[in-house]
Amino acid sequence: MALSTHRLHSTINELSKTLKTLTFPLQTLISSPFSTSFLRTKSPHKKKRKRKIESPRSKPIQHESNRVAHFEQIVQRDALFRFLTRSKDFIAKQPQHVLRLDDAGKLHRELGFPRGRKVARSAARHPLLYEVYRHGDGKMWLGFSEFMEELVEEERKVMDLMEKDRVFRVRKLLMMSAKRRIQLSKIYHCRALFGIPEDFRDRVRKYPEFFRVVVEGDGKKVLELVEWDPALAVSVLEREFMVDEDRVRRAFRFNVDHMRYLGLDEEDERKLSFLNTFPLVSPYSDGSGLKLWSLEAEKYRLGVLHEFLNLTLEKRASIHHIVEFKEEFSLTKHTYQMLSKQPRTFYLAGTEMNWAVFLRDGYGDNGELIEKDPQVVFNEKLYRYAMMNRMEESIDSNIGVNQ
């Protein structure tokens, strides 16, 4: 019995020593910072997705609650028909109105199709107007359809018919500009705004009583006003003021600084604002001598842009067109802020990078232009045909991006 008890104690001691040798590495592993890296000891946390910051290229300039649908749709329509409008003008200048398809594929900017895309895909969206075909030389070519040739000829006749009106618009532009001169390249770049024909640089020579073309030392051609006409130096606002004074008074508002501290009632605040707003500064006066950040200078710049937009066919312009005349109209880099403070008169549409300004009074409540120039009527007809696949199709005359 004593012997078996002794053996039992010996066995227990040996077993204890063995366990110690076995548990030592386990304790070492437990204390190691790498021991549980493969174990899930806590419930997993879902990573919070970072809120995507909208690019100025896509972020709307207007808050959703302030957007006017018909103005926004016009900007979207311009993007939809960019290929149509640019390629029409470019191909119309080419011999026989055709381009080799390989060459056309390199002209994404001139033809208005997305970079990296095939030009044939853009042309295929307007089957009534464009054709892609294989010539006898084995090369693929892009050109106008016979129907498009008829439309281009119709547009040329509209341009001829409206030539005197376009001369009138350019004269008023020159009268508003500093030193009464504008580079011909700037007018050419913005010609679609005013319905000015492609060959206007040649047509101006027919009117020496109004225009003079001067070649600068750097080779740039500048269009100068020959004679000032007082009858043209009357703005739309001045004419409207004679008919409906109250309407013009409501067009702009320039608040008095610190007005809330004056303790005035609503009627007195309105009268004081009117006193601060009027008189307006004529866009045909010389604004170059005004102090840059003075109230008079701001009134002048607003008057210039109001008159400028009234000279456009559709009472609107993009920021890129406005910037073209920055020096001529004494504009500043704060044009957006200046316009956004006058929502009764102007509406800003589009995105932060590519926005356009509309004259509200130029449009009816239904979003249609109140007065349509023959060129605008032609453009709308062209857009309708651009949406058709066959001549016999009948589509709504109101072209929208949802069609």
Side-chain angles (χ1 to χ4, degrees):
M1 185 68 176
L3 182 61
S4 33
T5 303
H6 176 72
R7 285 181 179 177
L8 181 60
H9 282 294
S10 299
T11 303
I12 291 172
N13 289 335
E14 289 177 4
L15 185 59
S16 178
K17 290 178 180 180
T18 303
L19 286 173
K20 287 181 179 179
T21 60
L22 290 174
T23 55
F24 177 75
L26 183 60
Q27 291 172 350
T28 304
L29 286 172
I30 292 173
S31 63
S32 171
F34 306 103
S35 61
T36 58
S37 61
F38 61 94
L39 297 177
R40 182 174 290 173
T41 58
K42 295 181 180 179
S43 59
H45 291 284
K46 292 184 179 179
K47 290 185 178 179
K48 292 183 179 180
R49 291 185 179 179
K50 291 184 178 179
R51 187 176 180 181
K52 187 177 180 181
I53 300 176
E54 283 190 277
S55 164
R57 189 182 297 274
S58 59
K59 185 177 181 180
I61 199 169
Q62 289 282 0
H63 187 272
E64 187 175 0
S65 61
N66 297 327
R67 289 178 205 159
V68 178
H70 55 255
F71 289 137
E72 299 292 344
Q73 288 172 0
I74 291 173
V75 174
Q76 294 172 35
R77 184 198 66 186
D78 288 349
L80 181 67
F81 292 122
R82 183 177 292 115
F83 171 77
L84 172 64
T85 53
R86 290 192 184 180
S87 62
K88 174 178 66 67
D89 290 346
F90 190 85
I91 295 177
K93 294 185 290 185
Q94 308 306 311
Q96 300 180 350
H97 296 170
V98 293
L99 273 174
R100 279 182 53 184
L101 196 61
D102 289 343
D103 295 334
K106 303 171 186 176
L107 301 172
H108 65 92
R109 186 171 298 171
E110 291 82 353
L111 298 179
F113 65 93
R115 185 174 186 175
R117 303 284 182 88
K118 292 185 177 180
V119 64
R121 290 182 61 184
S122 295
R125 291 167 53 194
H126 313 299
L128 281 182
L129 308 180
Y130 296 96
E131 292 180 347
V132 176
Y133 60 93
R134 189 178 298 278
H135 197 263
D137 58 3
K139 302 291 185 181
M140 298 296 293
W141 291 77
L142 168 67
F144 293 152
S145 66
E146 290 186 11
F147 179 61
M148 184 63 162
E149 293 283 3
E150 295 175 5
L151 290 174
V152 170
E153 177 61 21
E154 180 182 338
E155 184 178 31
R156 187 191 65 77
K157 292 178 180 178
V158 171
M159 295 283 188
D160 292 342
L161 177 67
M162 302 303 296
E163 181 173 302
K164 295 289 179 64
D165 175 83
R166 306 324 186 214
V167 168
F168 168 82
R169 293 172 192 263
V170 175
R171 289 175 68 195
K172 287 180 75 73
L173 276 176
L174 289 170
M175 290 175 66
M176 283 196 296
S177 64
K179 300 179 181 178
R180 318 303 177 215
R181 63 203 312 264
I182 301 176
Q183 285 184 18
L184 267 172
S185 60
K186 294 185 177 184
I187 298 176
Y188 178 80
H189 180 251
C190 299
R191 65 190 184 280
L193 281 182
F194 309 101
I196 294 173
E198 168 75 28
D199 60 349
F200 182 76
R201 287 176 289 193
D202 298 324
R203 296 194 188 205
V204 293
R205 301 182 189 281
K206 294 161 51 179
Y207 302 94
E209 68 276 24
F210 299 141
F211 308 118
R212 177 171 50 244
V213 178
V214 178
V215 180
E216 302 277 84
D218 55 4
K220 292 180 179 179
K221 293 183 179 180
V222 177
L223 190 66
E224 292 185 345
L225 184 71
V226 170
E227 186 176 355
W228 180 270
D229 186 348
L232 296 185
V234 181
S235 68
V236 171
L237 281 175
E238 289 173 302
R239 291 199 302 270
E240 289 180 348
F241 188 82
M242 302 299 293
V243 177
D244 190 346
E245 180 178 335
D246 289 338
R247 183 167 174 266
V248 176
R249 285 185 178 276
R250 291 192 298 269
F252 298 103
R253 184 171 182 176
F254 300 92
N255 291 326
V256 178
D257 293 337
H258 313 298
M259 184 186 290
R260 64 179 181 274
Y261 299 119
L262 299 179
L264 302 176
D265 60 26
E266 185 177 348
E267 180 63 19
D268 288 337
E269 285 187 0
R270 187 179 67 84
K271 291 179 179 179
L272 188 56
S273 292
F274 278 160
L275 289 174
N276 200 40
T277 301
F278 288 88
L280 295 173
V281 180
S282 172
Y284 295 99
S285 61
D286 184 7
S288 60
L290 298 173
K291 291 183 179 179
L292 189 60
W293 304 114
S294 66
L295 180 60
E296 287 71 22
E298 185 172 352
K299 289 180 181 180
Y300 167 77
R301 289 191 289 267
L302 283 169
V304 164
L305 288 177
H306 188 278
E307 188 75 355
F308 176 83
L309 293 174
N310 266 294
L311 290 174
T312 65
L313 299 184
E314 297 188 48
K315 312 306 181 211
R316 64 185 178 98
S318 75
I319 178 58
H320 307 294
H321 290 131
I322 292 173
V323 167
E324 285 281 352
F325 301 97
K326 180 180 177 180
E327 291 79 16
E328 286 80 2
F329 296 158
S330 304
L331 301 177
T332 72
K333 63 181 180 180
H334 300 293
T335 299
Y336 162 72
Q337 289 83 353
M338 179 182 69
L339 292 172
S340 63
K341 291 190 296 184
Q342 307 295 340
R344 296 177 181 178
T345 299
F346 305 110
Y347 179 83
L348 307 180
T351 64
E352 291 182 352
M353 183 174 288
N354 298 300
W355 54 271
V357 56
F358 290 77
L359 267 182
R360 288 181 180 270
D361 288 347
Y363 291 79
D365 295 336
N366 60 353
E368 289 286 320
L369 271 170
I370 295 174
E371 296 180 4
K372 289 189 178 182
D373 184 272
Q375 181 67 50
V376 174
V377 175
F378 171 83
N379 291 343
E380 291 180 348
K381 180 169 71 172
L382 181 66
Y383 297 154
R384 288 196 295 272
Y385 287 129
M387 299 294 288
M388 292 182 184
N389 289 322
R390 299 181 304 277
M391 278 301 299
E392 61 269 19
E393 286 186 5
S394 176
I395 64 174
D396 187 9
S397 61
N398 293 320
I399 301 299
V401 295
N402 295 324
Q403 289 182 295

